[in-house]
Amino acid sequence: MASFERASPALKEILLRIYRNHSHNQCCSCHYSAEKPIEVDHHLYEFGSVEYHIKSSASAPQLTYLSISTPLLTQGVLLSYGLSPYTTQMVREISTDVLEIVEPATEGYQLTLRLDFSKIPRGKDSLKVITEVSSVQSIILSSQLKEMLQSVNSWDASQGMYKPIKLVYHPREPFYVIRQPHKIVAVFPMRFKDYSDVIIATSFFQELMDVGSSEKWAKAPPCNWSPIPPAELRGEPLEDLSTNGGFVSFDISSRHVEGKRLDKTVWSLLNFYAYVKHHVKCTRGFIQRRMRRRLESLVEVLQNSSLEDDRHIRKFQENAGWQYMKKLVKLSSKSKILKRSCRDFTRKIMRIRFRIKIHGFGRFRRRWLTMLKFSSSKGYTKLE
Amino acid sequence: MANTLRLYLTCIRNTLEAAMCLQNFPCQEVERHNKPEVELKTSPELLLNPVLICRNEAEKCLIETSINSLRISLKVKQADELENILTKKFLRFLSMRAEAFQVLRRKPVQGYDISFLITNYHCEEMQKQKLIDFIVQFMEDIDKEISELKMSVNTRGRLVATEFLKQFI
């Protein structure tokens, strides 16, 4: 997933910049101060293997081409090739005036859109349209899930139960949807690499169950966590059911899929894994920060125990007399201390270098072996 | 503070006051070496009997004394899995930074969560009473910190769960 927001922030910023440049040029077209239209060719890569390509040429500044490549939602072993007509219809409905699907798509991308910025309404509506265009990836995924839920009949007459539909977005994180007459059950098998992640996530799932079961959140879908696979997943392959984080299930009723809530619900379900992983990562960071802060306060206690001793002795010595006070508390400035230490260091080096002392050699060296100074103290060389 | 904790800490304090009578003692086996005898345990005549103080099955303190050094090993209470990992993380964090504490051992004694090694040199540099106060204060602070960490993690989880469920309404 690109981010928890439906609209990609980076894509939105780029499109806004292009739009503002275009609308500024339009306003200033009668003056000579209009800026030259710029060529745009951006490649954006986002978390979750999502890739965008934004291209705009100077010859047609009002047109921008946006290509998208995103992993598609697959149904178990059935791979999804390209976008279904339902998905392309949902994309077209973002804005029929502004947006047009280009066939065929640019090579390496699943979808290419031609955006006509001249058709974007002025004012606050422009931001709304651009935000909706930036959320095209979320629309593709959501419409895929909606289509799957609407078209598939999961009633298995032979077993007398509703068969779970396995949906795969990320290869290692499949989840199940069981479509029943009055509700849809979404089951997420949770897996983590680290044992501490399992514990943090488990405490989060327990809080999720507690919050969901309270009266205040009665309208939210009931949430359930269990360490063992739920009964609905009976018969599924063992490798899909072996987890270390248990199983989280949500009961989605008709109330959660009415009108505008359908998009939100679908997006929340698709993002659940990323949400949990993000929370676990932030909690680990929080624990680390807190431990660092606590370390400083713990060490301070020990340091104070030895410092208090020093202070006690110094107080005694102060009382002993003014002479002792003068010796102990040196009032020389920092620069003098630095000069003194440099001088001591230089002397030490000279002592090490000139180990063999010849009596009188020093005077001989100073008289005959010193380099003549060619620069005069007057700052110029007098020619004779 | 609970009564049992107060009694436990008082017992540890009194034991440490009696045990922390350390003096310089060069190594008997290798000349010009001065090693903490409680770590080597090569000369039994230099070692005192170790004292084990248990508050309950989960919490205990082992005090091993020798002529020139003293080792204190602590086992901290861990009520559930979350406290278990928090304790492990925090004490490992502190042990890795043992040089900041001077008296802390980098690796705890087997079967315990954290260990201190106090030598006669520490007793010369620092006041004995202050050292004992530090150890006791450390034990209280660790318990408090683990409880606060656990509460913070649960509070964070609750807030995040609330935010997640808001999306459905």
Side-chain angles (χ1 to χ4, degrees):
Chain A
M1 297 293 157
S3 70
F4 301 128
E5 287 178 19
R6 296 172 63 84
S8 161
L11 178 62
K12 185 174 159 185
E13 194 185 315
I14 292 171
L15 291 177
L16 269 173
R17 211 181 322 139
I18 298 172
Y19 171 71
R20 278 176 192 148
N21 191 39
H22 165 72
S23 56
H24 174 75
N25 284 346
Q26 272 199 319
C27 290
C28 304
S29 59
C30 52
H31 302 290
Y32 291 109
S33 61
E35 286 177 17
K36 204 174 165 183
I38 49 170
E39 293 265 343
V40 172
D41 194 347
H42 283 295
H43 282 268
L44 268 180
Y45 297 91
E46 286 188 342
F47 178 72
S49 310
V50 181
E51 191 183 336
Y52 297 101
H53 182 209
I54 306 127
K55 201 167 179 181
S56 172
S57 69
S59 55
Q62 76 277 12
L63 294 177
T64 299
Y65 290 87
L66 171 65
S67 303
I68 302 129
S69 166
T70 173
L72 298 174
L73 203 58
T74 57
Q75 202 171 318
V77 292
L78 295 171
L79 294 173
S80 181
Y81 294 104
L83 302 175
S84 65
Y86 177 75
T87 304
T88 49
Q89 180 57 31
M90 295 302 290
V91 169
R92 227 175 255 123
E93 280 176 14
I94 294 173
S95 179
T96 46
D97 297 329
V98 174
L99 202 141
E100 194 186 325
I101 296 177
V102 174
E103 298 281 357
T106 310
E107 197 182 333
Y109 296 91
Q110 285 135 347
L111 182 70
T112 301
L113 305 172
R114 181 165 51 223
L115 307 172
D116 190 349
F117 283 117
S118 59
K119 301 248 173 80
I120 291 179
R122 297 284 174 112
K124 286 182 186 173
D125 288 339
S126 61
L127 183 64
K128 194 180 165 194
V129 169
I130 287 171
T131 306
E132 280 173 11
V133 170
S134 308
S135 56
V136 62
Q137 193 247 350
S138 66
I139 289 168
I140 291 171
L141 285 174
S142 308
S143 61
Q144 280 191 304
L145 182 58
K146 279 184 231 172
E147 194 184 6
M148 280 176 192
L149 292 176
Q150 283 163 4
S151 61
V152 175
N153 179 16
S154 55
W155 173 253
D156 190 344
S158 60
Q159 292 190 14
M161 58 179 269
Y162 290 95
K163 205 164 173 278
I165 310 159
K166 182 179 171 182
L167 297 171
V168 180
Y169 176 62
H170 193 279
R172 280 167 293 193
E173 292 171 352
F175 63 101
Y176 294 90
V177 168
I178 300 110
R179 195 160 167 252
Q180 293 174 357
H182 299 294
K183 65 177 180 180
I184 293 170
V185 181
V187 182
F188 295 88
M190 305 303 300
R191 290 179 190 90
F192 300 93
K193 282 183 190 166
D194 203 10
Y195 177 67
S196 55
D197 289 354
V198 172
I199 303 301
I200 295 169
T202 308
S203 70
F204 167 65
F205 298 143
Q206 280 163 353
E207 291 297 330
L208 194 62
M209 275 203 302
D210 284 341
V211 171
S213 61
S214 62
E215 276 182 28
K216 192 183 165 192
W217 296 95
K219 287 184 183 175
C223 167
N224 189 32
W225 175 80
S226 72
I228 56 168
E232 291 94 345
L233 296 186
R234 211 182 313 152
E236 290 301 309
L238 195 64
E239 59 264 18
D240 291 337
L241 299 184
S242 52
T243 64
N244 57 4
F247 296 81
V248 179
S249 50
F250 291 95
D251 293 343
I252 311 290
S253 62
S254 54
R255 188 200 312 156
H256 304 116
V257 296
E258 281 166 0
K260 285 184 184 175
R261 286 201 199 119
L262 174 63
D263 273 339
K264 279 188 191 174
T265 302
V266 162
W267 184 242
S268 301
L269 291 177
L270 286 170
N271 265 326
F272 183 67
Y273 277 122
Y275 202 84
V276 171
K277 297 251 163 100
H278 184 68
H279 166 66
V280 167
K281 198 173 171 182
C282 290
T283 305
R284 286 171 72 118
F286 165 74
I287 291 170
Q288 190 75 10
R289 279 194 306 275
R290 200 164 157 137
M291 286 194 302
R292 274 187 209 278
R293 244 182 297 149
R294 205 66 183 92
L295 171 74
E296 287 165 14
S297 59
L298 284 171
V299 169
E300 207 182 314
V301 173
L302 190 65
Q303 282 173 353
N304 282 343
S305 68
S306 46
L307 271 174
E308 274 177 25
D309 198 23
D310 283 346
R311 260 186 255 136
H312 177 71
I313 290 171
R314 196 171 283 183
K315 206 173 174 182
F316 174 76
Q317 284 178 332
E318 274 175 17
N319 290 337
W322 179 77
Q323 300 277 345
Y324 286 106
M325 177 70 166
K326 203 179 167 186
K327 276 184 198 172
L328 283 171
V329 182
K330 291 186 183 174
L331 298 169
S332 38
S333 65
K334 274 189 187 170
S335 61
K336 280 185 188 168
I337 295 169
L338 194 65
K339 274 185 192 166
R340 202 180 305 128
S341 57
C342 280
R343 209 182 313 138
D344 292 340
F345 183 70
T346 319
R347 276 188 193 151
K348 216 185 259 181
I349 294 290
M350 284 174 64
R351 242 180 272 136
I352 292 165
R353 287 181 72 187
F354 299 107
R355 274 192 202 148
I356 303 168
K357 281 194 178 172
I358 302 168
H359 185 66
F361 183 72
R363 205 184 297 172
F364 177 78
R365 183 172 57 80
R366 275 194 295 273
R367 176 115 193 248
W368 298 106
L369 297 182
T370 48
M371 290 287 289
L372 293 168
K373 282 187 188 172
F374 290 101
S375 60
S376 74
S377 57
K378 291 174 189 172
Y380 61 88
T381 311
K382 190 179 171 186
L383 295 171
E384 288 178 11
Chain B
M1 202 194 304
N3 256 346
T4 52
L5 180 63
R6 170 71 71 189
L7 289 170
Y8 176 59
L9 293 176
T10 309
C11 184
I12 290 173
R13 183 185 285 274
N14 292 340
T15 312
L16 285 175
E17 276 174 8
M20 210 179 284
C21 298
L22 308 174
Q23 65 184 52
N24 188 26
F25 194 88
C27 182
Q28 292 185 133
E29 316 222 323
V30 183
E31 63 180 53
R32 300 178 72 176
H33 276 216
N34 198 319
K35 300 170 189 175
E37 295 296 332
V38 77
E39 292 286 346
L40 265 65
K41 295 192 190 322
T42 48
S43 308
E45 67 275 10
L46 302 175
L47 304 173
L48 275 77
N49 289 328
V51 177
L52 181 65
I53 304 163
C54 299
R55 187 184 174 191
N56 48 48
E57 283 171 9
E59 275 186 88
K60 52 186 178 178
C61 172
L62 177 67
I63 300 172
E64 299 162 284
T65 323
S66 70
I67 188 158
N68 63 355
S69 50
L70 165 71
R71 190 163 69 184
I72 307 151
S73 306
L74 303 170
K75 182 106 181 86
V76 179
K77 81 162 174 4
Q78 290 148 45
D80 54 18
E81 287 292 334
L82 184 59
E83 271 191 22
N84 190 355
I85 60 148
L86 290 175
T87 306
K88 220 185 256 183
K89 272 188 183 297
F90 188 43
L91 293 179
R92 192 168 184 271
F93 181 85
L94 295 179
S95 298
M96 288 295 117
R97 287 148 184 85
E99 66 277 356
F101 288 95
Q102 299 177 57
V103 295
L104 194 60
R105 206 167 176 259
R106 275 202 182 274
K107 206 173 164 190
V109 167
Q110 200 168 8
Y112 292 86
D113 295 319
I114 195 162
S115 296
F116 295 90
L117 176 67
I118 301 172
T119 62
N120 55 296
Y121 296 112
H122 295 134
C123 292
E124 285 163 21
E125 285 166 17
M126 294 181 249
Q127 291 183 27
K128 177 182 158 180
Q129 276 306 318
K130 296 284 180 191
L131 261 177
I132 296 170
D133 289 343
F134 166 72
I135 302 282
V136 172
Q137 186 66 36
F138 185 90
M139 290 173 69
E140 285 180 28
D141 288 346
I142 288 291
D143 277 343
K144 202 166 70 168
E145 184 60 27
I146 301 294
S147 304
E148 282 175 8
L149 261 175
K150 184 183 172 183
M151 213 174 328
S152 304
V153 167
N154 286 335
T155 308
R156 280 176 67 91
R158 185 164 277 267
L159 286 169
V160 169
T162 309
E163 284 304 313
F164 181 74
L165 292 176
K166 263 188 201 171
Q167 296 171 68
F168 292 98
I169 296 173

